Amino acid sequence: MALRYALLAALHESPATGYELTQRFRSRLANVWNASHQQVYRELAKLLDEGKLLVESVQQSDKPDKKRYHLALPGEKDLKQWLDQSQPRPPVRDPFLVKLFAGDMLNYKWLLEEIADMRRVSESQLDYYRSVENEYFEQPDTLPGHFRLQHLALRNGIIHTEANLEWLDELEKTVQKGATSKG
Amino acid sequence: MALRYALLAALHESPATGYELTQRFRSRLANVWNASHQQVYRELAKLLDEGKLLVESVQQSDKPDKKRYHLALPGEKDLKQWLDQSQPRPPVRDPFLVKLFAGDMLNYKWLLEEIADMRRVSESQLDYYRSVENEYFEQPDTLPGHFRLQHLALRNGIIHTEANLEWLDELEKTVQKGATSKG
DNA sequence: TCGCGCATGTAAGTTGTTACATGATTTA
DNA sequence: TAAATCATGTAACAACTTACATGCGCGA
């Protein structure tokens, strides 16, 4: 159900095409909500059909037309209602942690490479988050309230990514001390 | 796909019934992988059908019989193979963070209550993780390798829950400074 | 000319959720 | 005697993934 409200919230920020929304999910919203373009297009079609959105056909000189979606009043009402109900915390499902549970079957060398990869990913994520922070939220205290909350959503990504890097250090040390039998 | 391997890994630890596996997912594996009893039973049936598991019917004096599942060799082979392939990081999908993106529609008072709730949840989670740590992993350095990796999976939960509490502090301060228009 | 970014979809399959169902024992 | 725990499932549905499909413009 929540994808629908993620879309409504994104369109409340500003009207956008399916393509643009997909990109937002991959960039600014990456630490908030994830959705593929297939999901986005399908849900937009449904929302439009239900009268929660309006479309505007945007002509482009060379490229084919694109459809810009706007939040309509019924959509805004739905969103408001959803915002007032508390939602369950997302369940954890991390295949890497599953692997640690089968610890004695893991290969030592392979694990260290995985850890190095994950560290690289976390570091570039952190770089990206910080670049967004610098671009959009330079002086948080001077920002209007809702931008400050968006900043806090970003802070969530930063804090957890930093925590993850800490954890990777711990993990690497443990593995290096010879946590596994093989390798 | 990963639920299947979570089950194989859990059964590699020790044979168990569907019910017991469901409980593990809700307790010791809560910070690792989540699955409902319906999913567990369905997947166990499939795995059995495919010859990845063996069943043992355990008679009980009073209660109806229960089925204890054991990892069979083909299942162990599958697991080994899966462990050697790196898996994509789980996508983020957090409805609470979505709400922060619609910041200017949020109610100030409601938000503060939500934050208080989340803090309570995180704190009791942390208590639970720490009780498990004390029970199973008192002197990590003396443990066999694979238990040390299980401990690290738990450490992941601890570190991220602590990070979350930090973040909640930040968020609360921001909201109290008057982040939203209403309330 | 090959691939990439823009731009939009359909279809099939897998995974996860919610609701329903049963029946015994234990605890308040 | 009512609720909770043990113990196992089925069925319908919603959500998400993967594969397939089309077509234009731009840069190497």
Side-chain angles (χ1 to χ4, degrees), chain A residues 5-152:
Chain A
Y5 299 102
L7 284 168
L8 294 176
L11 289 173
H12 168 70
E13 257 202 306
S14 73
T17 67
Y19 189 82
E20 288 161 0
L21 289 164
T22 304
Q23 281 175 307
R24 279 196 223 169
F25 282 127
R26 269 207 282 265
S27 57
R28 272 175 52 229
L29 285 164
N31 67 122
V32 167
W33 194 270
N34 174 283
S36 63
H37 82 271
Q38 293 90 336
Q39 269 184 291
V40 169
Y41 285 120
R42 193 174 356 135
E43 197 65 32
L44 283 174
K46 240 196 250 177
L47 284 166
L48 183 66
D49 184 63
E50 293 171 23
K52 316 293 184 180
L53 306 179
L54 299 170
V55 226
E56 163 200 12
S57 202
V58 179
Q59 272 128 301
Q60 295 178 116
S61 43
D62 314 325
K63 299 173 199 168
D65 295 6
K66 57 183 179 182
K67 302 177 189 170
R68 182 168 0 259
Y69 292 90
H70 297 250
L71 189 56
L73 252 111
E76 205 184 317
K77 239 180 105 180
D78 280 13
L79 178 56
K80 236 173 226 156
Q81 226 181 353
W82 181 75
L83 290 173
D84 283 341
Q85 298 163 225
S86 64
Q87 301 302 320
R89 303 271 63 222
V92 179
R93 287 197 188 95
D94 187 332
F96 185 74
L97 297 180
V98 169
K99 290 187 183 185
L100 296 187
F101 255 77
D104 56 341
M105 286 172 74
L106 280 179
N107 179 287
Y108 175 88
K109 230 177 102 189
W110 177 89
L111 234 191
L112 287 175
E113 283 164 26
E114 275 300 276
I115 292 168
D117 278 353
M118 289 176 68
R119 202 197 306 280
R120 274 189 287 275
V121 170
S122 287
E123 272 161 1
S124 69
Q125 244 174 48
L126 208 49
D127 284 349
Y128 171 70
Y129 291 153
R130 286 183 174 145
S131 76
V132 176
E133 205 174 23
N134 288 331
E135 191 177 346
Y136 292 93
F137 307 108
E138 223 170 332
Q139 298 118 305
D141 288 350
T142 66
L143 256 38
H146 68 281
F147 283 127
R148 263 186 273 171
L149 288 182
Q150 284 200 5
H151 181 220
L152 262 294

Side-chain angles (χ1 to χ4, degrees), chain B residues 17-86:
Chain B
T17 67
Y19 188 83
E20 287 161 359
L21 290 165
T22 305
Q23 282 175 307
R24 280 195 222 171
F25 282 127
R26 270 207 280 264
S27 57
R28 271 175 52 227
L29 285 165
N31 67 123
V32 167
W33 195 271
N34 174 283
S36 64
H37 82 271
Q38 293 89 336
Q39 270 184 292
V40 169
Y41 285 120
R42 201 193 331 162
E43 197 65 31
L44 283 175
K46 242 196 248 177
L47 284 166
L48 183 66
D49 184 63
E50 293 171 21
K52 315 293 184 182
L53 305 180
L54 299 169
V55 227
E56 164 200 11
S57 201
V58 180
Q59 272 129 302
Q60 295 178 114
S61 43
D62 313 325
K63 299 171 198 170
D65 295 7
K66 57 184 179 180
K67 301 177 190 170
R68 180 166 5 256
Y69 292 89
H70 298 250
L71 189 56
L73 253 110
E76 205 184 316
K77 240 180 103 181
D78 281 12
L79 178 57
K80 236 174 228 157
Q81 226 180 350
W82 181 75
L83 291 174
D84 284 341
Q85 299 163 227
S86 65

